[in-house]
């Protein structure tokens, strides 16, 4: 993968945006990562460990996605619900990066209470402990808090979702899709209130559709159910099934490559004075695309690496049939970038078509041999390849 460090790419901040420099800490902070074995954690922990030889505590129940780590990374196999765990973590570390959540839309209307607990109830004690002990909480929230579309407080449309200007516009309560967004939003408000009234040092990050290797799971291999869209499309391609476009795939997302996201998180860690007390979008406004466009691009990248297979097909399905009752959707989500550029001197540049080949290569390497049997069975059952 080519370097994506802005300095090495001739990156220049946009005119008119005053960029803040990196800070030099009195001593490097001790860092804990909660949810270290997930998609983001499996990229973040090696990146943190490569830069510093201070102890890093990596907490999760499963580390299958994490490559072998150097000895200064301590793996703590535990749930954040384990009694005393958060107490110990906040005693030993200066910075806690919290990544844990159930962030898969297929769960929001099927396991809403688990989603609320994982995104809110389980994290409130961490917020309280970080405030009491003066630890810096870097919490990963979500672009979902913006809801269905970008609106100003008085209801006018906005082109982009802005951290400090955009209202948060969720659907009605019976649309259980918004349980996750509502839980994440309430947690942001709790964090904000602890910051305002109890001195909590915090940074809230709102990631916008970060994609990359090791995202989610492949159903039937290392998980069950419906993963997020990129993994769902990769599963369809590997199993030689149709790619499903929910409601025709007109919804739009702005995709950010995981390496660039990790670069931004490292820049946050390096800039406590600039980033504490801030809510920050991390996304790429240049990669706004419809889900149909994403599907076509994934198919192109897949066919380039497996030219001899059958031609994949796209198929439309209603959201109600795909996700069940209570699903709802965001129509378009484009991040305002000004704050991230100013605070982090960070501007992602990797375009969707560039990021897909390495992602496809990773999925092929990890899953192809394990899924091929299923694919062949599916082909036999359907009477042949799903090409036109
Ligand atoms: C999800 C999570 O809810 C967020 O927490 C998270 O921040 C966000 O992903 C993200 O990755 O940043 P969403 O983008 O709606 O939000 O989830 P995806 O599963 O990636 O779906 C994107 C779109 O693709 C949705 O419109 C969905 O209906 C559609 N989709 C999904 C399909 O058309 N086909 C599929 O097979 C799966």
């Amino acid at each position: 993968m080519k370097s994506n460090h802005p300095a090495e790419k001739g990156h220049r901040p946009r005119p008119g945006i005053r960029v803040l420099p990196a800070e030099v800490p009195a001593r490097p902070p001790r860092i804990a990562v909660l949810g270290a074995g997930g998609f983001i954690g499996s990229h973040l922990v090696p990146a943190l460990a490569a830069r510093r030889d201070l102890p890093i505590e990596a907490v999760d129940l499963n580390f299958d996605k994490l490559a072998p780590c150097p000895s200064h990374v301590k793996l703590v196999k535990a749930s954040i619900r384990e009694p005393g765990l958060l107490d110990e973590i906040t005693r030993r570390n200066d910075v806690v990066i919290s990544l844990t959540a159930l962030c898969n839309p297929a769960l929001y209307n099927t396991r809403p209470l688990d989603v609320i607990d994982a995104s809110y109830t389980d994290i409130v004690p961490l917020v309280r402990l970080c405030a009491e002990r003066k630890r810096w909480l870097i919490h990963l929230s979500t672009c979902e808090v913006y809801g269905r579309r970008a609106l100003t407080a008085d209801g006018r449309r906005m082109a982009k979702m802005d951290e400090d200007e955009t209202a948060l516009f969720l659907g009605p309560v019976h649309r259980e899709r918004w349980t996750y967004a509502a839980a994440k939003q309430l947690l942001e408000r709790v964090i904000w209130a602890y910051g305002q009234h109890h001195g909590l040092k915090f940074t809230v990050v709102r990631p916008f559709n970060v994609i990359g290797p090791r995202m989610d799971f492949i159903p039937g291999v290392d998980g069950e159910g419906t993963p997020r869209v990129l993994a769902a499309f990769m599963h369809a391609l590997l199993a030689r099934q149709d790619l499903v476009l929910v409601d025709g795939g007109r919804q739009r997302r702005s995709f950010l490559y995981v390496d660039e996201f990790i670069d931004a998180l490292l820049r946050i860690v390096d800039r406590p004075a600039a980033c504490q007390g801030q809510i920050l979008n991390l996304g790429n406004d240049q990669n706004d695309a419809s889900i149909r466009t994403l599907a076509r691009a994934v198919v192109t990248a897949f066919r380039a690496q497996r030219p001899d297979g059958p031609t994949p097909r796209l198929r439309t399905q209603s959201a109600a049939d795909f996700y069940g009752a209570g699903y709802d959707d965001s129509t378009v989500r484009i991040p305002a970038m000004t704050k991230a550029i100013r605070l982090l001197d960070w501007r992602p540049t990797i375009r969707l078509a560039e990021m897909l080949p390495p992602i496809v290569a990773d999925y092929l390497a990890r899953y192809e041999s394990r899924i091929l049997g299923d694919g062949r069975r599916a082909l036999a059952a359907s009477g042949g390849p799903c090409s036109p």
Side-chain angles (χ1 to χ4, degrees), residues 103 105 108 142-144 177 180 207-210 215 227-229 232-233 244-246 251 253 291 322-323 327 329 333:
C103 58
Y108 304 164
T142 173
C143 57
E144 289 248 336
R177 155 61 184 257
Y180 174 73
F208 280 68
N209 288 80
V210 179
M215 193 172 177
R228 282 177 291 177
V229 67
F233 287 168
V244 177
L245 298 175
V246 172
Q251 320 83 303
R253 297 292 186 268
I291 299 302
F322 191 79
Y323 288 110
Y327 182 75
D329 213 333
R333 272 187 202 157

Side-chain angles (χ1 to χ4, degrees), residues 51 221 269 303:
R51 287 174 20 137
V221 179
V269 172
R303 301 258 310 147

Side-chain angles (χ1 to χ4, degrees), residues 34-35 59 61 78-86 100 118 122-123 126:
L34 308 182
V59 182
L61 282 167
S79 160
I80 62 162
R81 288 181 174 173
E82 193 168 292
L85 191 271
L86 294 177
T100 60
D122 295 346
I123 317 294
L126 173 69

Side-chain angles (χ1 to χ4, degrees), residues 233 236 240-249 291-292 295 299 312-319 321-322 386:
F233 287 168
R240 299 179 182 184
Q241 297 169 358
D242 297 350
L243 282 69
V244 177
L245 298 175
V246 172
D247 286 343
I291 299 302
R292 181 177 284 274
V299 167
R313 284 194 317 204
L314 312 184
R315 168 168 67 81
T316 288
Q317 192 173 353
S318 74
D321 286 344
F322 191 79
C386 58

